[in-house]
Amino acid sequence: MYFAALLARTEDGWEASDTELDDVETLNDLADLAREAAVDDDTVVAFIEQEDAWFGVVRVDGEDDPRVFLSNAAIAARSSYGAMLTDELLGRDDDDATDDLDSLDLDGTEDGEPESDNNVEDDDPLEAVNGSDGPPHGPLGDAALLADLGVSEKELLALDGDALSTIADSLGCTEVLEAVR
């Protein structure tokens, strides 16, 4: 189960809104959603959490590129929204895994002949899909994205459990976040 919220900074503090991610398929979609919640192109922070397994923070400042932090990329990559953010951080295209699977010769032959073992890239054809280039176990992204708002890189990297409440405490917006929880 996911929890997602947008916190928009205003002159009077923070405004929180519960957000549905049903129509969000890319980081750009999430950034557009955040920009719609912004007041005068000010900062918007999107929180995504999945049952204390992982959390993500996406910061959008006006038309700047969104900045992203994931608490545990390997676990997040197993979920749809986490995978979207992980793929973006690792520079993967959405269709990479599909293209890799489509290109596999699953019966092990090409034109009726066995594949040669001389091609290093084909030694383990599933490695491109599941292998060593997978997301790291642990944090991924810009751990300093909230430093100017009161959450240092070191503090963000040390968070676990109910991290979003801890972040909200530091930002001074616990009550508004809890109102949408």
Side-chain angles (χ1 to χ4, degrees), residues 16 20 24 37 54 56 72 88 98 100 102 136-137 149 152 167 173:
E20 290 293 324
V24 173
W54 65 272
N72 189 317
E88 182 71 30
T98 305
D100 289 341
D102 289 343
H137 292 276
L149 300 175
S152 73
I167 294 170
C173 58

Side-chain angles (χ1 to χ4, degrees), residues 121-136:
E121 290 180 1
D122 292 334
D123 282 348
D124 184 3
L126 292 177
E127 183 173 297
V129 177
N130 298 323
S132 61
D133 66 340

Side-chain angles (χ1 to χ4, degrees), residues 111-173:
D111 298 327
E113 296 296 320
E115 295 248 350
S116 164
D117 288 341
N118 295 337
N119 188 344
V120 174
E121 290 180 1
D122 292 334
D123 282 348
D124 184 3
L126 292 177
E127 183 173 297
V129 177
N130 298 323
S132 61
D133 66 340
H137 292 276
L140 180 66
D142 184 356
L145 81 165
L146 300 175
D148 64 323
L149 300 175
V151 182
S152 73
E153 182 175 349
K154 183 178 178 180
E155 291 169 321
L156 190 60
L157 290 169
L159 290 176
D160 60 359
D162 192 10
L164 299 186
S165 291
T166 303
I167 294 170
D169 285 344
S170 295
L171 297 179
C173 58

Side-chain angles (χ1 to χ4, degrees), residues 56-123:
V57 179
V58 178
R59 178 178 176 163
V60 178
D61 294 299
E63 292 301 316
D64 292 347
D65 288 338
R67 297 166 63 190
V68 180
F69 173 80
L70 290 171
S71 64
N72 189 317
I75 293 173
R78 296 180 192 147
S79 66
S80 58
Y81 300 115
M84 169 192 69
L85 296 174
T86 303
D87 288 348
E88 182 71 30
L89 288 169
L90 294 175
R92 295 180 181 162
D93 289 336
D94 291 337
D95 297 329
D96 281 354
T98 305
D99 292 344
D100 289 341
L101 286 174
D102 289 343
S103 69
L104 292 177
D105 184 14
L106 297 177
D107 69 359
T109 62
E110 176 87 21
D111 298 327
E113 296 296 320
E115 295 248 350
S116 164
D117 288 341
N118 295 337
N119 188 344
V120 174
E121 290 180 1
D122 292 334
D123 282 348

Side-chain angles (χ1 to χ4, degrees), residues 13-33:
W14 292 92
E15 291 180 6
S17 59
D18 185 13
T19 188
E20 290 293 324
L21 299 178
D22 294 342
D23 295 330
V24 173
E25 295 179 7
T26 67
L27 179 59
N28 286 333
D29 292 343
L30 183 57
D32 289 343
L33 191 63

